Amino acid sequence: MEFMDFIKSLSRKIDSFTGKEVGIDNINNLERPAYFIQVIDYKKEFFANHKEKIHVGIDIVYIPENDENNKAEIYNALDKLNDMFDVKGNKILQIKDRFLTLKNENMKTVDGLGHYIFDLDLFDVYGGIPKQDIANGLKLKFKNKTGE
């Protein structure tokens, strides 16, 4: 799984659920109201046998229509984001063929912007996994009925 897989899945989900513009590059170029996806942490830890642990910290920023008197609008948008991830009582984001559980969800306002923050953790496979023929080189000896 690659970095942009997280961003693409998330932006598609927000766009289809809210119908609002979703940005990832320049927060100042968005038409209000809008959402901005900010990756605040991205780590890959490599293990043996072509396995890696991936950690992604994400902050979805809600930019309200007006600069002032917008607390109700912001918290309404954050509640909608929270509901968007709900799948049978769990907070889930689908990325490709994987269903990842959101961890450490947090909602807050800072400087007139809404923030929906969460983490994703997963194990993935990287590189080409060499095929092994388990029976290759295996020598079996069978005993006959007489024990030889």
Side-chain angles (χ1 to χ4, degrees), residues 59-97:
D59 180 2
I60 303 172
V61 180
Y62 176 71
I63 306 159
E65 191 166 351
N66 300 307
D67 285 332
E68 297 177 6
N69 301 322
N70 55 20
K71 290 245 188 255
E73 177 190 353
I74 290 171
Y75 279 109
N76 186 41
L78 294 176
D79 283 339
K80 286 182 180 179
L81 280 177
N82 193 49
D83 294 343
M84 175 182 76
F85 293 110
D86 188 58
V87 177
K88 296 183 180 181
N90 294 303
K91 303 295 183 208
I92 304 291
L93 174 62
Q94 181 177 355
I95 302 174
K96 291 188 169 185
D97 61 343

Side-chain angles (χ1 to χ4, degrees), residues 20-135:
K20 306 243 187 288
E21 185 176 7
V22 180
I24 61 169
D25 289 325
N26 188 342
I27 197 168
N28 297 319
N29 289 344
L30 298 173
E31 186 176 320
R32 292 174 171 241
Y35 293 89
F36 182 76
I37 300 171
Q38 183 175 7
V39 176
I40 51 179
D41 194 18
Y42 182 72
K43 291 187 257 185
K44 284 188 174 188
E45 187 177 344
F46 296 96
F47 291 90
N49 299 323
H50 300 274
K51 293 179 187 164
E52 63 187 352
K53 181 179 180 186
I54 301 173
H55 170 81
V56 183
I58 294 178
D59 180 2
I60 303 172
V61 180
Y62 176 71
I63 306 159
E65 191 166 351
N66 300 307
D67 285 332
E68 297 177 6
N69 301 322
N70 55 20
K71 290 245 188 255
E73 177 190 353
I74 290 171
Y75 279 109
N76 186 41
L78 294 176
D79 283 339
K80 286 182 180 179
L81 280 177
N82 193 49
D83 294 343
M84 175 182 76
F85 293 110
D86 188 58
V87 177
K88 296 183 180 181
N90 294 303
K91 303 295 183 208
I92 304 291
L93 174 62
Q94 181 177 355
I95 302 174
K96 291 188 169 185
D97 61 343
R98 309 279 296 272
F99 294 86
L100 306 177
T101 302
L102 278 63
K103 296 170 53 176
N104 306 320
E105 307 101 84
N106 185 17
M107 293 184 281
K108 62 183 177 180
T109 62
V110 177
D111 296 331
L113 301 175
H115 295 266
Y116 188 85
I117 302 165
F118 61 90
D119 295 325
L120 297 169
D121 290 313
L122 70 140
F123 281 94
D124 204 12
V125 176
Y126 67 90
I129 300 173
K131 293 184 178 181
Q132 297 178 0
D133 185 7
I134 296 174

